[in-house]
Amino acid sequence: MQDLTHYLNGEHVAGTSGRFADVMNPATGEVQARVPLASSAEIDRAVEIAASVQPAWAAINPQRRARVLMKFVDLLNRDMDKLAEALSREHGKTLPDAAGDVQRGLEVVEYCIGAPHLLKGEYTDSAGPGIDMYSMRQPLGVSAGITPFNFPAMIPMWMFAPAIACGNAFILKPSERDPSVPLMLAELFEEAGLPKGVLQVVNGDKEAVDAILHHDVIQSIGFVGSTPIAEYIYGTGCANGKRVQCFGGAKNHMIIMPDADMDQAADALVGAGYGAAGERCMAISVAVPVGDETADRLIEKLVPRIEKLKVGPYTAGNDVDYGPVVTAAAKANIERLVETGVAQGAKLVVDGRNFNLQGYENGFFIGPHLFDHVTRDMDIYKHEIFGPVLSTVRAQSYEEALSLAMDHEYGNGTAIFTRDGDAARDFANRVNVGMVGINVPIPVPLAYHTFGGWKKSVFGDLNQHGPDAFKFYTRTKTVTSRWPSGIKEGGEFSIPVME
């Protein structure tokens, strides 16, 4: 049994609250470590350290800060395999998927190397007689991030890389489900030259979250997780005068038009619906074929692909398609929703309820499920399942398919598969969803664009990474300057007279 730590001021520090959470091996169902759960006093200590070192870090010019990020990228590449293995061991996702988790975070760090350009202000010469105006982007001070279990490398880097590039200190409260990789990232960043205390990791639960929300020194908070908690963090943080961005749940629809390449669409659905056991906020969980003929052809293509999926632990090789879900509670909730779908009349075309992996009977594995004839009023359609369950909702027209995506309370991501450019263009323009894919099933933007949904998938005005991140982690200060004229003429030796 390993006891994990917090990471404060450049050191691994044992927890002092006396409270711990179990870190499971999802493949075996066994406890593999304990993680300390911080008290409010431990949060106070982390904030005190951060506030003491942040001014000196902010005083370093952006180019030199960027050089630390450059070195951090080198170290992430050096330790990619080690990070991926640690991530897989605690989360359960396959090694290639875990490496992708690290890579997508690394790409945001690469973007943040451009901080010297991204932090430039604006200048107006001669705004008035002898008056110039200019703006500066300055760091907030101490920022914090509360991140989820499903991307323990990517999402922390999406938050702390731009925050630190802007000159802030950052306190990370990662998921207690898989905390080892965030601790490793903090060590690597300091190896790259980041001063001690600029990035700290404090593990914890609601007590730590509430301490962050109510701390006067913390200026901004980022969060990714479920919508109810996002609403709570956004409301509480804003009420305490903080800048807050929160990203919540999702129910992502993929519309399949009659002219779509059905093999391409089926391959996309299987990867987007079942990859990472469906534990992605950008997973496609609803397939919307337009017309019964399209639906029948799609189901015919999907069934053999889904039945061939290889489910197993990450140690079984890189040909494993997906691993276990993160906890026994998550597994039980997914199984409950599947039973609800059957009871409410959906047709279970691929039934994964009896899935059993020999030698891993106590692991949190779930077989793949495919529903057909799902309707809007069913629980499996209304709620985010966050598991390897794909629901098919048949639409009789393009307009009906569009309305399904638009009427749902979530608006994180969506996609359309078609050969018709006019339909694709209309869909992209009209759909009220934040990220849209055209023949792309998981439209997660690259690092130099921004990531963010609409409706109840997001709370706040600015998205993650891209230009929005540099706006979120800085304040704009505008200076108006006027210098008296005449000084440059030198001394006046004549007796002054009234003009």
Side-chain angles (χ1 to χ4, degrees):
M1 174 69 65
Q2 179 187 9
D3 274 355
L4 299 176
T5 64
H6 308 302
Y7 194 78
L8 304 179
N9 204 24
E11 297 180 353
H12 287 277
V13 177
T16 60
S17 71
R19 298 187 306 118
F20 294 86
D22 291 336
V23 179
M24 309 299 293
N25 181 334
T28 64
E30 297 172 340
V31 178
Q32 58 182 328
R34 296 194 312 167
V35 60
L37 302 176
S39 65
S40 58
E42 288 170 297
I43 294 292
D44 289 344
R45 176 59 181 151
V47 174
E48 180 185 2
I49 293 166
S52 69
V53 300
Q54 185 271 332
W57 174 244
I60 296 172
N61 69 60
Q63 188 172 359
R64 291 186 180 276
R65 294 201 299 262
R67 289 173 183 166
V68 176
L69 271 70
M70 290 181 198
K71 179 62 175 175
F72 183 45
V73 168
D74 288 342
L75 297 177
L76 289 170
N77 281 307
R78 183 196 71 186
D79 287 0
M80 180 70 73
D81 291 344
K82 183 192 298 185
L83 290 163
E85 200 279 332
L87 197 159
S88 293
R89 186 173 63 248
E90 291 182 350
H91 177 281
K93 64 176 67 176
T94 66
L95 283 171
D97 197 27
D101 187 331
V102 179
Q103 179 64 35
R104 290 306 294 263
L106 181 156
E107 289 166 4
V108 169
V109 181
E110 289 177 326
Y111 174 77
C112 293
I113 292 170
H117 171 71
L118 295 161
L119 291 172
K120 288 190 301 186
E122 298 172 320
Y123 189 91
T124 299
D125 174 63
S126 298
I131 297 174
D132 303 321
M133 299 181 70
Y134 61 95
S135 64
M136 299 182 286
R137 304 204 70 88
Q138 296 190 320
L140 302 176
V142 179
S143 296
I146 302 163
T147 57
F149 77 86
N150 59 326
F151 285 97
M154 181 184 79
I155 293 177
M157 284 192 274
W158 282 11
M159 293 183 187
F160 69 61
I164 289 170
C166 289
N168 299 286
F170 197 89
I171 295 169
L172 174 63
K173 204 299 289 181
S175 170
E176 60 273 29
R177 306 294 184 199
D178 43 14
S180 289
V181 168
L183 292 166
M184 295 167 70
L185 293 175
E187 287 182 307
L188 287 180
F189 217 155
E190 288 186 4
E191 184 181 344
L194 188 70
K196 293 179 179 182
V198 174
L199 173 60
Q200 299 177 101
V201 180
V202 183
N203 293 297
D205 55 4
K206 188 176 185 299
E207 181 176 342
V209 170
D210 285 340
I212 289 169
L213 290 172
H214 292 281
H215 203 292
D216 290 341
V217 174
I218 294 174
Q219 299 297 304
S220 73
I221 299 171
F223 170 80
V224 176
S226 69
T227 286
I229 299 176
E231 289 181 304
Y232 169 73
I233 289 175
Y234 185 73
T236 307
C238 289
N240 286 317
K242 303 186 189 309
R243 185 176 293 183
V244 188
Q245 57 174 190
C246 292
F247 300 86
K251 197 71 177 180
N252 304 321
H253 296 64
M254 179 172 138
I255 284 78
I256 302 97
M257 297 296 288
D259 67 338
D261 181 319
M262 214 52 63
D263 286 307
Q264 181 190 36
D267 286 339
L269 273 168
V270 171
Y274 300 98
E279 292 178 319
R280 294 170 175 161
C281 68
M282 287 295 285
I284 294 293
S285 53
V286 182
V288 187
V290 177
D292 285 329
E293 182 184 352
T294 306
D296 291 341
R297 288 191 292 134
L298 179 66
I299 295 294
E300 183 182 356
K301 296 285 188 181
L302 283 173
V303 169
R305 286 168 165 81
I306 295 169
E307 290 177 341
K308 291 178 183 176
L309 288 173
K310 182 177 179 180
V311 182
Y314 77 92
T315 52
N318 289 349
D319 61 337
V320 172
D321 294 305
Y322 73 84
V325 295
V326 70
T327 62
K331 179 181 178 181
N333 185 59
I334 295 163
E335 291 172 339
R336 178 187 62 80
L337 283 165
V338 168
E339 294 297 340
T340 299
V342 173
Q344 292 178 348
K347 182 180 179 181
L348 190 53
V349 181
V350 177
D351 187 348
R353 288 177 295 181
N354 295 321
F355 179 83
N356 186 45
L357 190 62
Q358 186 174 0
Y360 293 90
E361 290 81 5
N362 294 323
F364 311 137
F365 292 96
I366 298 180
H369 296 75
L370 173 64
F371 280 103
D372 194 6
H373 298 286
V374 175
T375 57
R376 294 176 187 245
D377 59 333
M378 294 179 180
D379 288 348
I380 57 172
Y381 177 73
K382 292 187 290 185
H383 302 301
E384 185 176 31
I385 300 175
F386 227 56
V389 182
L390 181 63
S391 298
T392 305
V393 181
R394 296 180 176 224
Q396 297 308 309
S397 68
Y398 165 74
E399 290 295 334
E400 183 186 351
L402 177 62
S403 74
L404 284 162
M406 294 189 69
D407 292 346
H408 204 284
E409 65 176 344
Y410 294 130
N412 212 40
T414 189
I416 186 170
F417 273 63
T418 182
R419 292 185 173 96
D420 185 342
D422 179 61
R425 188 171 184 271
D426 181 80
F427 182 77
N429 283 330
R430 289 171 61 192
V431 72
N432 57 351
V433 173
M435 292 170 282
V436 181
I438 298 172
N439 299 316
V440 174
I442 303 181
V444 177
L446 293 176
Y448 40 87
H449 287 268
T450 64
F451 177 103
W454 287 13
K455 298 183 283 187
K456 283 200 170 182
S457 292
V458 67
F459 302 87
D461 298 325
L462 293 169
N463 288 340
Q464 294 194 92
H465 63 68
D468 273 16
F470 282 79
K471 295 175 184 176
F472 182 78
Y473 287 111
T474 58
R475 291 189 181 96
T476 301
K477 180 184 289 181
T478 305
V479 179
T480 302
S481 67
R482 179 177 180 272
W483 296 97
S485 60
I487 296 176
K488 63 181 179 295
E489 303 298 333
E492 176 62 60
F493 294 97
S494 301
I495 188 169
V497 297
M498 185 176 292
E499 297 289 340

